[in-house]
Amino acid sequence: MTIQQFGPTDEEHPREKQRGPVVLRRSRRDEATTTDQRLLDSRGPADWVHTDPWRVLRIQAEFVEGFGALAEVPRAVTVFGSARTGRDHPEYELGARIGGALAKAGYAAITGGGPGVMEAVNKGCSEAGGLSIGLGIELPFEQGLNPWVDLGVNFRYFFARKTMFVKYSQAFICLPGGYGTLDELFEALTLVQTKKVTKFPVVLFGRSYWGGLYEWVRDTVYAEGKIGEKDVALLHLTDDVDDAIRVVEEAYQAWVEVH
């Protein structure tokens, strides 16, 4: 299956690296470390006592910039999935369908702003007339926001970015993905379980990919008493786009009734 490529070519949209709100292209992309790495992986002398307090100002700025950029975003759903998914892969087309369905249902689509499934969701949402949002992150390898992002914010710190994903979303939809997707999935489940957020469905899209994980949660984690019956129900497993949108809409309407 071949998916037609839309948007700018490599010449029009050169490879880039994000350093917070700063875009680095061409020879400026060679910086070896990231801001998160310099914060968390420091093994230097005690001069960190004098430098870390100043990092708080940069962290504060990330929250201020994120809140300011996203404050007027309408109801939205965050969709996660692999950055490694090619444009000719069926999951890319599926991501575009989900992005389009969210737009038609009146939701903005939020992704990590990168390539693969994220690009597909942004593309589908944008083409359907919805608001396509990308929340990027500084990484040691080149990535940059994909060309289908209408509103983009770049972050240095994962924890600031994660706050934006949850604060401005009514639901998570997880397509097949790797460690990043798993991280966001279980963080969302923890926040819902501990009632830090309410009426927040988590949809696992793709039974063949997520079925084993779902069964392990149900048949091992729950069966051994590590979580409760209601915790298992926080996950919704499906292969149907309409079903995923229904779960999102029902949760949103329940949230509206409470608020």
Side-chain angles (χ1 to χ4, degrees), residues 2 20 22 70 127 135 141 147 158 179 190 227 229 244 250 252-253:
T2 300
V22 178
L70 302 173
E127 288 185 333
L135 305 183
F141 46 86
F158 269 109
Y179 283 157
T190 302
I227 59 174
E229 184 176 359
E250 287 180 355
Y252 176 75
Q253 294 302 326

Side-chain angles (χ1 to χ4, degrees), residues 4-256:
Q4 184 178 356
Q5 180 177 345
F6 297 90
T9 63
D10 288 341
E11 291 75 16
E12 296 170 325
H13 189 79
R15 290 182 301 170
E16 62 187 38
K17 179 178 180 179
Q18 304 291 343
R19 190 177 64 197
V22 178
V23 177
L24 301 175
R25 289 176 174 167
R26 301 178 181 87
S27 63
R28 303 297 296 178
R29 294 182 283 110
D30 297 333
E31 189 175 74
T33 61
T34 66
T35 308
D36 257 339
Q37 182 182 349
R38 292 190 291 274
L39 170 64
L40 300 175
D41 200 32
S42 175
R43 297 294 185 270
D47 61 357
W48 65 267
V49 174
H50 306 290
T51 59
D52 276 3
W54 289 101
R55 286 194 174 107
V56 173
L57 297 178
R58 177 175 283 176
I59 292 168
Q60 175 181 293
E62 291 220 332
F63 281 104
V64 171
E65 290 166 357
F67 292 153
L70 302 173
E72 297 181 358
V73 166
R75 59 182 184 168
V77 173
T78 292
V79 185
F80 292 108
S82 177
R84 304 186 183 195
T85 301
R87 290 173 176 165
D88 60 347
H89 196 286
E91 288 169 6
Y92 187 96
E93 184 177 6
L94 179 60
R97 286 178 55 205
I98 290 174
L102 288 172
K104 292 173 183 176
Y107 293 89
I110 303 176
T111 77
V117 166
M118 294 175 282
E119 176 186 284
V121 173
N122 287 134
K123 174 178 178 288
C125 179
S126 183
E127 288 185 333
L131 177 57
S132 173
I133 301 171
L135 305 183
I137 185 70
E138 178 189 9
L139 295 172
F141 46 86
E142 302 155 9
Q143 191 172 51
L145 294 176
N146 69 68
W148 293 101
V149 170
D150 300 323
L151 172 61
V153 184
N154 291 302
F155 293 88
R156 293 181 175 93
Y157 299 102
F158 269 109
F159 52 81
R161 181 182 184 234
K162 287 178 178 179
T163 300
M164 304 303 156
F165 279 137
V166 175
K167 180 173 177 61
Y168 295 102
S169 296
Q170 271 70 52
F172 279 178
I173 298 177
C174 296
L175 276 77
Y179 283 157
T181 301
L182 291 168
D183 174 51
E184 300 293 355
L185 164 62
F186 282 104
E187 180 149 11
L189 290 173
T190 302
L191 291 172
V192 178
Q193 182 195 48
T194 56
K195 299 188 184 302
K196 300 296 185 182
V197 294
T198 58
K199 306 297 182 184
F200 196 98
V202 179
V203 178
L204 299 179
F205 202 102
R207 289 179 179 275
S208 62
Y209 189 86
W210 294 111
L213 175 65
Y214 182 84
E215 291 174 1
W216 174 74
V217 169
R218 181 191 62 196
D219 300 339
T220 300
V221 184
Y222 168 64
E224 294 191 7
K226 303 301 189 293
I227 59 174
E229 184 176 359
K230 291 183 179 179
D231 299 326
V232 179
L234 297 177
L235 288 169
H236 184 81
L237 185 63
T238 188
D239 283 322
D240 184 75
V241 174
D242 291 337
D243 183 44
I245 301 301
R246 176 190 61 78
V247 171
V248 169
E249 184 64 16
E250 287 180 355
Y252 176 75
Q253 294 302 326
W255 179 86
V256 170

